[in-house]
Amino acid sequence: MSQISFLNGKFVAASQAKVSVYDRGFLFGDAVYEVIPIYQSRPFRPQDHLDRLQNSLKAIALKLDYCDKYWHALIDQMIKKNNGGNLSLYIQITRGSEIERDHVGRADTEPTVLMMVSPLSTEIASLTPIKTTLLPDIRWKNCFIKTTALLGNVMLKQQASQAGYEEAILRRENIISEGTTSNVFMVKNGIIYTPIANQYILAGITREVIIEIAENASIKVIQQNITVEQLLDADEIWLSSSSREISPVTQIDDKIVAKGTIGPVTAKMHQLFQAFKRRLTGS
Ligand code: PDD
């Protein structure tokens, strides 16, 4: 069955979802986005994703008159029209299409709204260890905006990939920010640490859920600046995102983490995360 997308008020076959080359998303990266995991036809924390989407829209002063109720209905329709199951739902809003290329957008331009789905691999729940590399964070200083202007992230992830690593962990001077597509957690003496959600990182929804379920299980979580030295001295490290859930890090460049295995706190958090998902889907 071919997939169904949503474009500017209409549901269309994915292959028919087309936008103008004059779209500001294409010309300037003038757009924001969200990625929402769908587990067994249920969206994961949709309101959190919609709140973050509103924050991103507000940060770039893009006005869109879709209320939350309408968004929830659209998400439900996208799931139904694509036969449910495990999906990754992508939402993108650009400042729209304007025939004259001008950095300053016109106030009366209609935003472009796109939703599309792709299969969500069930492998993300399999706790697969990954190797990472530490790279300087070359991105701008507004990383809290989930913008499609991802050239810095793309360059860094490509650099990591070409060197044989799954993901790059980024540092600003000596302070860890995040991964190119993920948030960073570390464990030291049974306590979980993660960088503060400031302008240098995207406040991940998965990150938020992990903090919440750890605290509910009486595992201490501290949000603070993490130095490169502290990260390299950690007992355990993992990365989190909507498309990977929890990925244990067993290597940062030449440094082996957690003796190359999956540490006990990582395993526990993975177990709690799966239980949380099961409660959501009622399975
Ligand atoms: N990215 N930091 C960055 C830079 C990210 O791109 C992402 C996710 C995260 C984690 O956020 P969340 O837990 O809400 O998925 C952190 C998505 C998955 C992407 O770009 O495809």
Side-chain angles (χ1 to χ4, degrees):
M1 260 246 343
S2 68
Q3 277 164 355
I4 302 295
S5 300
F6 172 89
L7 183 62
N8 299 330
K10 291 195 186 105
F11 290 98
V12 294
S15 58
Q16 296 306 308
K18 294 181 175 152
V19 294
S20 163
V21 294
Y22 291 101
D23 195 279
R24 296 181 61 87
F26 181 66
L27 294 178
F28 297 108
D30 189 359
V32 295
Y33 76 109
E34 275 299 323
V35 177
I36 310 179
I38 313 291
Y39 296 114
Q40 296 182 31
S41 308
R42 302 265 177 95
F44 188 70
R45 294 290 193 124
Q47 190 57 52
D48 291 0
H49 282 279
L50 292 176
D51 289 347
R52 189 173 63 186
L53 183 62
Q54 294 301 345
N55 278 344
S56 297
L57 287 168
K58 194 169 158 217
I60 68 163
L62 204 174
K63 286 202 177 66
L64 180 76
D65 56 2
Y66 283 29
C67 66
D68 277 356
K69 203 172 157 202
Y70 184 54
W71 273 121
H72 284 290
L74 283 179
I75 292 169
D76 287 347
Q77 285 187 67
M78 278 296 285
I79 296 169
K80 284 204 185 81
K81 285 183 190 292
N82 287 287
N83 299 323
N86 295 321
L87 299 167
S88 177
L89 176 75
Y90 179 87
I91 304 177
Q92 179 173 331
I93 300 152
T94 85
R95 210 181 299 273
S97 170
E98 296 166 350
I99 287 299
E100 233 159 86
R101 182 181 173 275
D102 185 347
H103 285 64
V104 182
R106 292 170 52 116
D108 58 355
T109 301
E110 209 44 54
T112 300
V113 182
L114 167 72
M115 295 172 92
M116 55 189 187
V117 294
S118 56
L120 183 69
S121 164
T122 45
E123 269 173 39
I124 65 170
S126 66
L127 207 61
T128 311
I130 59 165
K131 294 179 180 173
T132 64
T133 181
L134 193 62
L135 293 178
D137 196 342
I138 57 169
R139 303 171 305 160
W140 70 335
K141 292 178 182 160
N142 288 308
C143 297
F144 69 98
I145 305 172
K146 198 161 171 64
T147 170
T148 62
L150 288 168
L151 190 55
N153 306 57
V154 167
M155 288 168 66
L156 288 160
K157 187 135 187 181
Q158 266 173 5
Q159 192 182 332
S161 175
Q162 274 156 18
Y165 297 105
E166 162 93 8
E167 172 67 307
I169 295 178
L170 309 177
R171 58 171 180 84
R172 294 208 187 239
E173 304 292 340
N174 201 35
I175 303 295
I176 300 298
S177 45
E178 58 179 344
T180 68
T181 58
S182 55
N183 291 119
V184 178
F185 287 82
M186 62 164 259
V187 179
K188 189 72 191 171
N189 300 327
I191 298 174
I192 300 174
Y193 296 85
T194 192
I196 307 158
N198 56 21
Q199 70 192 105
Y200 299 117
I201 75 164
L202 182 78
I205 307 303
T206 324
R207 170 187 180 279
E208 207 51 54
V209 170
I210 289 170
I211 293 171
E212 207 178 287
I213 57 184
E215 287 176 345
N216 284 342
S218 301
I219 305 171
K220 192 166 177 188
V221 183
I222 300 179
Q223 301 181 48
Q224 65 166 48
N225 281 340
I226 296 175
T227 64
V228 169
E229 292 74 25
Q230 284 168 329
L231 188 75
L232 294 176
D233 188 42
D235 298 333
E236 301 173 40
I237 299 171
W238 72 77
L239 303 180
S240 73
S241 83
S242 296
S243 42
R244 64 168 73 248
E245 295 183 358
I246 292 173
S247 294
V249 173
T250 48
Q251 198 173 324
I252 303 178
D253 295 309
D254 293 335
K255 165 95 187 170
I256 302 296
V257 179
K259 299 193 181 82
T261 61
I262 296 164
V265 181
T266 312
K268 176 78 184 161
M269 288 314 301
H270 174 255
Q271 188 199 330
L272 291 171
F273 196 86
Q274 299 312 312
F276 186 84
K277 268 169 55 185
R278 278 197 298 276
R279 280 199 297 280
L280 173 87
T281 55
S283 60

PDB file of all heavy atoms in Angstrom, residues 13 25-26 34 37 40 62-64 75 87 99 103 111 113 159 164 175 182-183 186 201 206 233 248 258 263 265 277:
ATOM      1  N   ALA A  13      -1.414  10.996  -2.041  1.00  0.00           N
ATOM      2  CA  ALA A  13      -0.448   9.897  -2.138  1.00  0.00           C
ATOM      3  C   ALA A  13       0.942  10.494  -1.917  1.00  0.00           C
ATOM      4  O   ALA A  13       1.237  11.589  -2.437  1.00  0.00           O
ATOM      5  CB  ALA A  13      -0.537   9.249  -3.507  1.00  0.00           C
ATOM      6  N   GLY A  25      11.327  26.969   2.633  1.00  0.00           N
ATOM      7  CA  GLY A  25      11.989  25.833   3.268  1.00  0.00           C
ATOM      8  C   GLY A  25      13.110  25.342   2.387  1.00  0.00           C
ATOM      9  O   GLY A  25      14.219  25.040   2.863  1.00  0.00           O
ATOM     10  N   PHE A  26      12.870  25.289   1.087  1.00  0.00           N
ATOM     11  CA  PHE A  26      13.861  24.833   0.111  1.00  0.00           C
ATOM     12  C   PHE A  26      14.975  25.875  -0.076  1.00  0.00           C
ATOM     13  O   PHE A  26      16.158  25.553  -0.077  1.00  0.00           O
ATOM     14  CB  PHE A  26      13.145  24.554  -1.221  1.00  0.00           C
ATOM     15  CG  PHE A  26      14.048  24.051  -2.315  1.00  0.00           C
ATOM     16  CD1 PHE A  26      14.677  22.811  -2.218  1.00  0.00           C
ATOM     17  CD2 PHE A  26      14.253  24.803  -3.461  1.00  0.00           C
ATOM     18  CE1 PHE A  26      15.508  22.345  -3.233  1.00  0.00           C
ATOM     19  CE2 PHE A  26      15.082  24.348  -4.479  1.00  0.00           C
ATOM     20  CZ  PHE A  26      15.710  23.113  -4.364  1.00  0.00           C
ATOM     21  N   GLU A  34       9.028  18.326  13.362  1.00  0.00           N
ATOM     22  CA  GLU A  34       8.910  17.404  14.495  1.00  0.00           C
ATOM     23  C   GLU A  34       8.969  15.978  13.981  1.00  0.00           C
ATOM     24  O   GLU A  34       8.604  15.724  12.824  1.00  0.00           O
ATOM     25  CB  GLU A  34       7.560  17.595  15.225  1.00  0.00           C
ATOM     26  CG  GLU A  34       7.552  18.679  16.268  1.00  0.00           C
ATOM     27  CD  GLU A  34       8.543  18.459  17.400  1.00  0.00           C
ATOM     28  OE1 GLU A  34       8.748  17.327  17.833  1.00  0.00           O
ATOM     29  OE2 GLU A  34       9.145  19.456  17.851  1.00  0.00           O
ATOM     30  N   PRO A  37       7.195   9.433  17.271  1.00  0.00           N
ATOM     31  CA  PRO A  37       7.067   7.988  17.105  1.00  0.00           C
ATOM     32  C   PRO A  37       5.627   7.536  17.340  1.00  0.00           C
ATOM     33  O   PRO A  37       4.949   8.072  18.228  1.00  0.00           O
ATOM     34  CB  PRO A  37       7.998   7.402  18.175  1.00  0.00           C
ATOM     35  CG  PRO A  37       8.398   8.518  19.049  1.00  0.00           C
ATOM     36  CD  PRO A  37       7.864   9.803  18.522  1.00  0.00           C
ATOM     37  N   GLN A  40       2.332   0.999  17.842  1.00  0.00           N
ATOM     38  CA  GLN A  40       1.060   0.267  17.711  1.00  0.00           C
ATOM     39  C   GLN A  40      -0.117   1.235  17.552  1.00  0.00           C
ATOM     40  O   GLN A  40      -1.089   1.194  18.314  1.00  0.00           O
ATOM     41  CB  GLN A  40       0.862  -0.666  18.909  1.00  0.00           C
ATOM     42  CG  GLN A  40       1.933  -1.752  18.939  1.00  0.00           C
ATOM     43  CD  GLN A  40       1.732  -2.714  20.088  1.00  0.00           C
ATOM     44  OE1 GLN A  40       0.621  -2.972  20.521  1.00  0.00           O
ATOM     45  NE2 GLN A  40       2.823  -3.259  20.594  1.00  0.00           N
ATOM     46  N   LEU A  62       6.850  32.447  13.135  1.00  0.00           N
ATOM     47  CA  LEU A  62       6.028  31.920  12.034  1.00  0.00           C
ATOM     48  C   LEU A  62       4.629  31.640  12.591  1.00  0.00           C
ATOM     49  O   LEU A  62       4.477  30.833  13.512  1.00  0.00           O
ATOM     50  CB  LEU A  62       6.669  30.630  11.499  1.00  0.00           C
ATOM     51  CG  LEU A  62       6.349  30.207  10.060  1.00  0.00           C
ATOM     52  CD1 LEU A  62       7.184  29.005   9.662  1.00  0.00           C
ATOM     53  CD2 LEU A  62       4.904  29.947   9.794  1.00  0.00           C
ATOM     54  N   LYS A  63       3.647  32.332  12.041  1.00  0.00           N
ATOM     55  CA  LYS A  63       2.273  32.171  12.558  1.00  0.00           C
ATOM     56  C   LYS A  63       1.519  31.133  11.736  1.00  0.00           C
ATOM     57  O   LYS A  63       1.458  31.224  10.520  1.00  0.00           O
ATOM     58  CB  LYS A  63       1.535  33.509  12.497  1.00  0.00           C
ATOM     59  CG  LYS A  63       1.979  34.473  13.554  1.00  0.00           C
ATOM     60  CD  LYS A  63       0.913  35.539  13.833  1.00  0.00           C
ATOM     61  CE  LYS A  63       1.371  36.449  14.953  1.00  0.00           C
ATOM     62  NZ  LYS A  63       2.558  37.261  14.558  1.00  0.00           N
ATOM     63  N   LEU A  64       0.956  30.154  12.438  1.00  0.00           N
ATOM     64  CA  LEU A  64       0.150  29.131  11.775  1.00  0.00           C
ATOM     65  C   LEU A  64      -1.111  28.946  12.603  1.00  0.00           C
ATOM     66  O   LEU A  64      -1.031  28.713  13.811  1.00  0.00           O
ATOM     67  CB  LEU A  64       0.939  27.810  11.705  1.00  0.00           C
ATOM     68  CG  LEU A  64       0.210  26.651  11.044  1.00  0.00           C
ATOM     69  CD1 LEU A  64       0.197  26.823   9.530  1.00  0.00           C
ATOM     70  CD2 LEU A  64       0.854  25.318  11.410  1.00  0.00           C
ATOM     71  N   ILE A  75      -3.059  14.111  13.271  1.00  0.00           N
ATOM     72  CA  ILE A  75      -2.144  13.005  13.602  1.00  0.00           C
ATOM     73  C   ILE A  75      -2.932  11.686  13.571  1.00  0.00           C
ATOM     74  O   ILE A  75      -2.489  10.709  12.961  1.00  0.00           O
ATOM     75  CB  ILE A  75      -1.480  13.242  14.984  1.00  0.00           C
ATOM     76  CG1 ILE A  75      -0.523  14.440  14.904  1.00  0.00           C
ATOM     77  CG2 ILE A  75      -0.734  11.980  15.458  1.00  0.00           C
ATOM     78  CD1 ILE A  75      -0.013  14.932  16.253  1.00  0.00           C
ATOM     79  N   LEU A  87       5.144   3.599  13.398  1.00  0.00           N
ATOM     80  CA  LEU A  87       5.489   4.585  12.369  1.00  0.00           C
ATOM     81  C   LEU A  87       6.315   5.715  12.961  1.00  0.00           C
ATOM     82  O   LEU A  87       6.289   5.951  14.170  1.00  0.00           O
ATOM     83  CB  LEU A  87       4.213   5.209  11.780  1.00  0.00           C
ATOM     84  CG  LEU A  87       3.204   4.292  11.087  1.00  0.00           C
ATOM     85  CD1 LEU A  87       1.885   5.032  10.870  1.00  0.00           C
ATOM     86  CD2 LEU A  87       3.765   3.801   9.758  1.00  0.00           C
ATOM     87  N   ILE A  99       7.439  33.964  -4.906  1.00  0.00           N
ATOM     88  CA  ILE A  99       8.094  33.991  -6.217  1.00  0.00           C
ATOM     89  C   ILE A  99       9.370  34.833  -6.208  1.00  0.00           C
ATOM     90  O   ILE A  99      10.351  34.514  -6.856  1.00  0.00           O
ATOM     91  CB  ILE A  99       7.093  34.470  -7.304  1.00  0.00           C
ATOM     92  CG1 ILE A  99       6.074  33.362  -7.576  1.00  0.00           C
ATOM     93  CG2 ILE A  99       7.796  34.878  -8.579  1.00  0.00           C
ATOM     94  CD1 ILE A  99       6.648  32.048  -8.111  1.00  0.00           C
ATOM     95  N   HIS A 103      15.238  37.483   1.635  1.00  0.00           N
ATOM     96  CA  HIS A 103      15.461  36.930   2.974  1.00  0.00           C
ATOM     97  C   HIS A 103      14.308  37.276   3.917  1.00  0.00           C
ATOM     98  O   HIS A 103      13.937  36.490   4.776  1.00  0.00           O
ATOM     99  CB  HIS A 103      16.791  37.432   3.562  1.00  0.00           C
ATOM    100  CG  HIS A 103      17.984  36.775   2.943  1.00  0.00           C
ATOM    101  ND1 HIS A 103      18.307  36.933   1.617  1.00  0.00           N
ATOM    102  CD2 HIS A 103      18.920  35.950   3.474  1.00  0.00           C
ATOM    103  CE1 HIS A 103      19.391  36.237   1.352  1.00  0.00           C
ATOM    104  NE2 HIS A 103      19.791  35.625   2.453  1.00  0.00           N
ATOM    105  N   PRO A 111       1.885  29.595   5.058  1.00  0.00           N
ATOM    106  CA  PRO A 111       2.898  28.572   5.374  1.00  0.00           C
ATOM    107  C   PRO A 111       2.627  27.261   4.632  1.00  0.00           C
ATOM    108  O   PRO A 111       1.477  26.975   4.284  1.00  0.00           O
ATOM    109  CB  PRO A 111       2.741  28.361   6.884  1.00  0.00           C
ATOM    110  CG  PRO A 111       1.998  29.542   7.380  1.00  0.00           C
ATOM    111  CD  PRO A 111       1.141  30.017   6.247  1.00  0.00           C
ATOM    112  N   VAL A 113       2.502  23.308   5.012  1.00  0.00           N
ATOM    113  CA  VAL A 113       2.408  22.311   6.093  1.00  0.00           C
ATOM    114  C   VAL A 113       2.449  20.912   5.481  1.00  0.00           C
ATOM    115  O   VAL A 113       1.637  20.576   4.629  1.00  0.00           O
ATOM    116  CB  VAL A 113       1.098  22.480   6.898  1.00  0.00           C
ATOM    117  CG1 VAL A 113       1.043  21.466   8.038  1.00  0.00           C
ATOM    118  CG2 VAL A 113       0.966  23.898   7.435  1.00  0.00           C
ATOM    119  N   GLN A 159      30.781  13.273   8.961  1.00  0.00           N
ATOM    120  CA  GLN A 159      32.175  13.129   9.390  1.00  0.00           C
ATOM    121  C   GLN A 159      32.322  11.897  10.290  1.00  0.00           C
ATOM    122  O   GLN A 159      33.253  11.100  10.142  1.00  0.00           O
ATOM    123  CB  GLN A 159      32.617  14.395  10.144  1.00  0.00           C
ATOM    124  CG  GLN A 159      34.105  14.464  10.383  1.00  0.00           C
ATOM    125  CD  GLN A 159      34.508  15.708  11.171  1.00  0.00           C
ATOM    126  OE1 GLN A 159      33.832  16.744  11.109  1.00  0.00           O
ATOM    127  NE2 GLN A 159      35.605  15.625  11.898  1.00  0.00           N
ATOM    128  N   GLY A 164      33.658   5.791  10.568  1.00  0.00           N
ATOM    129  CA  GLY A 164      33.203   4.489  11.054  1.00  0.00           C
ATOM    130  C   GLY A 164      32.427   4.537  12.359  1.00  0.00           C
ATOM    131  O   GLY A 164      32.279   3.519  13.027  1.00  0.00           O
ATOM    132  N   ILE A 175      32.553  21.692  27.132  1.00  0.00           N
ATOM    133  CA  ILE A 175      31.238  21.286  27.658  1.00  0.00           C
ATOM    134  C   ILE A 175      30.457  20.471  26.615  1.00  0.00           C
ATOM    135  O   ILE A 175      30.320  20.899  25.463  1.00  0.00           O
ATOM    136  CB  ILE A 175      30.405  22.535  28.067  1.00  0.00           C
ATOM    137  CG1 ILE A 175      31.162  23.381  29.103  1.00  0.00           C
ATOM    138  CG2 ILE A 175      29.018  22.143  28.578  1.00  0.00           C
ATOM    139  CD1 ILE A 175      31.400  22.710  30.439  1.00  0.00           C
ATOM    140  N   SER A 182      20.608  13.434  18.697  1.00  0.00           N
ATOM    141  CA  SER A 182      20.240  12.753  19.951  1.00  0.00           C
ATOM    142  C   SER A 182      20.691  13.554  21.168  1.00  0.00           C
ATOM    143  O   SER A 182      21.528  14.449  21.050  1.00  0.00           O
ATOM    144  CB  SER A 182      20.909  11.369  19.978  1.00  0.00           C
ATOM    145  OG  SER A 182      22.310  11.510  19.799  1.00  0.00           O
ATOM    146  N   ASN A 183      20.157  13.205  22.331  1.00  0.00           N
ATOM    147  CA  ASN A 183      20.613  13.781  23.599  1.00  0.00           C
ATOM    148  C   ASN A 183      21.546  12.801  24.304  1.00  0.00           C
ATOM    149  O   ASN A 183      21.505  11.603  24.047  1.00  0.00           O
ATOM    150  CB  ASN A 183      19.423  14.121  24.499  1.00  0.00           C
ATOM    151  CG  ASN A 183      18.594  15.274  23.961  1.00  0.00           C
ATOM    152  OD1 ASN A 183      17.415  15.131  23.667  1.00  0.00           O
ATOM    153  ND2 ASN A 183      19.211  16.434  23.805  1.00  0.00           N
ATOM    154  N   MET A 186      24.819  10.338  30.950  1.00  0.00           N
ATOM    155  CA  MET A 186      25.916   9.544  31.501  1.00  0.00           C
ATOM    156  C   MET A 186      25.569   9.128  32.935  1.00  0.00           C
ATOM    157  O   MET A 186      24.717   9.749  33.587  1.00  0.00           O
ATOM    158  CB  MET A 186      27.246  10.297  31.463  1.00  0.00           C
ATOM    159  CG  MET A 186      27.288  11.569  32.277  1.00  0.00           C
ATOM    160  SD  MET A 186      28.969  12.152  32.575  1.00  0.00           S
ATOM    161  CE  MET A 186      29.221  11.589  34.270  1.00  0.00           C
ATOM    162  N   ILE A 201      21.144  22.898  23.118  1.00  0.00           N
ATOM    163  CA  ILE A 201      20.648  21.556  22.783  1.00  0.00           C
ATOM    164  C   ILE A 201      19.165  21.607  22.443  1.00  0.00           C
ATOM    165  O   ILE A 201      18.458  22.550  22.799  1.00  0.00           O
ATOM    166  CB  ILE A 201      20.874  20.530  23.930  1.00  0.00           C
ATOM    167  CG1 ILE A 201      19.878  20.737  25.091  1.00  0.00           C
ATOM    168  CG2 ILE A 201      22.297  20.555  24.441  1.00  0.00           C
ATOM    169  CD1 ILE A 201      19.811  19.542  26.025  1.00  0.00           C
ATOM    170  N   THR A 206      12.194  12.339  24.279  1.00  0.00           N
ATOM    171  CA  THR A 206      12.682  11.075  24.856  1.00  0.00           C
ATOM    172  C   THR A 206      13.485  11.380  26.118  1.00  0.00           C
ATOM    173  O   THR A 206      13.349  10.690  27.133  1.00  0.00           O
ATOM    174  CB  THR A 206      13.564  10.325  23.830  1.00  0.00           C
ATOM    175  OG1 THR A 206      13.037  10.522  22.524  1.00  0.00           O
ATOM    176  CG2 THR A 206      13.647   8.841  24.143  1.00  0.00           C
ATOM    177  N   ASP A 233      35.084   9.861  31.859  1.00  0.00           N
ATOM    178  CA  ASP A 233      35.271   9.127  33.119  1.00  0.00           C
ATOM    179  C   ASP A 233      33.956   8.452  33.584  1.00  0.00           C
ATOM    180  O   ASP A 233      33.890   7.889  34.676  1.00  0.00           O
ATOM    181  CB  ASP A 233      35.763  10.143  34.181  1.00  0.00           C
ATOM    182  CG  ASP A 233      36.173   9.444  35.462  1.00  0.00           C
ATOM    183  OD1 ASP A 233      36.830   8.392  35.366  1.00  0.00           O
ATOM    184  OD2 ASP A 233      35.804   9.932  36.553  1.00  0.00           O
ATOM    185  N   PRO A 248      22.966   2.482  24.021  1.00  0.00           N
ATOM    186  CA  PRO A 248      24.145   2.457  24.889  1.00  0.00           C
ATOM    187  C   PRO A 248      25.402   2.784  24.085  1.00  0.00           C
ATOM    188  O   PRO A 248      25.596   2.259  22.991  1.00  0.00           O
ATOM    189  CB  PRO A 248      24.207   0.997  25.369  1.00  0.00           C
ATOM    190  CG  PRO A 248      22.967   0.337  24.883  1.00  0.00           C
ATOM    191  CD  PRO A 248      22.392   1.151  23.786  1.00  0.00           C
ATOM    192  N   ALA A 258      32.140   1.693  29.786  1.00  0.00           N
ATOM    193  CA  ALA A 258      31.434   0.608  30.496  1.00  0.00           C
ATOM    194  C   ALA A 258      32.000  -0.767  30.132  1.00  0.00           C
ATOM    195  O   ALA A 258      31.243  -1.728  29.947  1.00  0.00           O
ATOM    196  CB  ALA A 258      29.932   0.672  30.207  1.00  0.00           C
ATOM    197  N   GLY A 263      25.713  -1.201  30.571  1.00  0.00           N
ATOM    198  CA  GLY A 263      25.772  -1.056  32.030  1.00  0.00           C
ATOM    199  C   GLY A 263      24.429  -1.303  32.701  1.00  0.00           C
ATOM    200  O   GLY A 263      23.380  -1.259  32.046  1.00  0.00           O
ATOM    201  N   VAL A 265      22.572   0.523  34.838  1.00  0.00           N
ATOM    202  CA  VAL A 265      21.589   1.622  34.858  1.00  0.00           C
ATOM    203  C   VAL A 265      20.968   1.777  33.463  1.00  0.00           C
ATOM    204  O   VAL A 265      19.760   1.987  33.322  1.00  0.00           O
ATOM    205  CB  VAL A 265      22.226   2.946  35.357  1.00  0.00           C
ATOM    206  CG1 VAL A 265      21.198   4.066  35.399  1.00  0.00           C
ATOM    207  CG2 VAL A 265      22.859   2.756  36.730  1.00  0.00           C
ATOM    208  N   LYS A 277       6.199   2.312  27.470  1.00  0.00           N
ATOM    209  CA  LYS A 277       5.593   2.177  26.141  1.00  0.00           C
ATOM    210  C   LYS A 277       4.432   1.186  26.167  1.00  0.00           C
ATOM    211  O   LYS A 277       3.396   1.409  25.548  1.00  0.00           O
ATOM    212  CB  LYS A 277       6.647   1.651  25.140  1.00  0.00           C
ATOM    213  CG  LYS A 277       7.390   2.738  24.418  1.00  0.00           C
ATOM    214  CD  LYS A 277       8.589   2.195  23.664  1.00  0.00           C
ATOM    215  CE  LYS A 277       8.282   1.086  22.700  1.00  0.00           C
ATOM    216  NZ  LYS A 277       9.522   0.522  22.099  1.00  0.00           N
TER     217      LYS A 277
END
